[in-house]
Amino acid sequence: MQKQIYLAGGWFTPKQASLVERAHVALKQNPTIGYIHSPQEHQYKGVTEDHDPEGMFGGYEWANQTYQNDITAMDLADMAVVLWDMQDEDTGTAFEVGYLNACHKPIFFVCEDDLQANPINLMLAKGITQCLTSVDELATFDFQFVAGEPYTGQIV
């Protein structure tokens, strides 16, 4: 049975946007994945900072509905892939890790930065199921078999 993935990660910098794009491509190649929910593709009424014909971006209606869409998607997902940029940590992504952890969803943390030179907060380190060090691993990773592995990077 193919898995439904919630793809978490910021897309606010060129590096983050590249991580999301590359992860989406890799996950589409993976035969164990059936559906990928990428929040940036499901903003309320398609509104983004760059596309906002009605002036909704940042307003209550947009924020409430976008938040609810993401919560529903996390609830429905079998597991999550979380993309992490050590140089520009995204608080929204950190929230998603906490929420997904509270929902007992397996969390596959992907970080291509040096895990020894860049410590992460213990709450993130202990909240993930497994850490991958390359987005490319997502194309062949077996999401059918979920085995937890301790985070081996530096923790603060």
Side-chain angles (χ1 to χ4, degrees):
M1 181 176 177
Q2 293 180 315
K3 301 296 182 178
Q4 293 188 42
I5 299 290
Y6 183 87
L7 181 58
W11 61 84
F12 307 107
T13 69
K15 179 181 175 183
Q16 290 172 347
S18 173
L19 282 170
V20 171
E21 182 179 327
R22 292 173 38 233
H24 206 272
V25 168
L27 288 166
K28 280 184 173 181
Q29 295 171 3
N30 190 314
T32 65
I33 302 301
Y35 176 75
I36 306 158
H37 180 92
S38 186
Q40 74 181 39
E41 296 176 354
H42 298 279
Q43 300 290 296
Y44 179 62
K45 292 190 175 184
V47 169
T48 65
E49 192 171 11
D50 298 329
H51 174 74
D52 188 11
E54 298 177 40
M56 296 182 80
F57 185 81
Y60 178 79
E61 180 181 357
W62 169 83
N64 187 58
Q65 293 307 120
T66 298
Y67 173 84
Q68 290 303 321
N69 290 346
D70 291 350
I71 294 295
T72 299
M74 286 187 279
D75 288 342
L76 294 173
D78 296 311
M79 56 192 58
V81 169
V82 173
L83 308 171
W84 196 256
D85 175 5
M86 297 278 201
Q87 307 311 311
D88 200 356
E89 298 171 339
D90 178 53
T91 56
T93 303
F95 169 85
E96 290 166 327
V97 169
Y99 185 87
L100 290 156
N101 189 274
C103 292
H104 307 286
K105 305 284 182 166
I107 300 168
F108 298 91
F109 190 81
V110 181
C111 182
E112 296 183 326
D113 298 317
D114 184 339
L115 302 177
Q116 299 307 318
N118 301 286
I120 65 169
N121 183 280
L122 72 97
M123 299 305 277
L124 287 174
K126 297 301 177 184
I128 62 175
T129 305
Q130 192 168 345
C131 182
L132 307 176
T133 57
S134 172
V135 167
D136 296 336
E137 293 177 73
L138 297 172
T140 58
F141 189 84
D142 184 0
F143 287 96
Q144 297 296 332
F145 178 71
V146 177
E149 292 184 13
Y151 179 77
T152 58
Q154 293 295 311
I155 300 172
V156 292

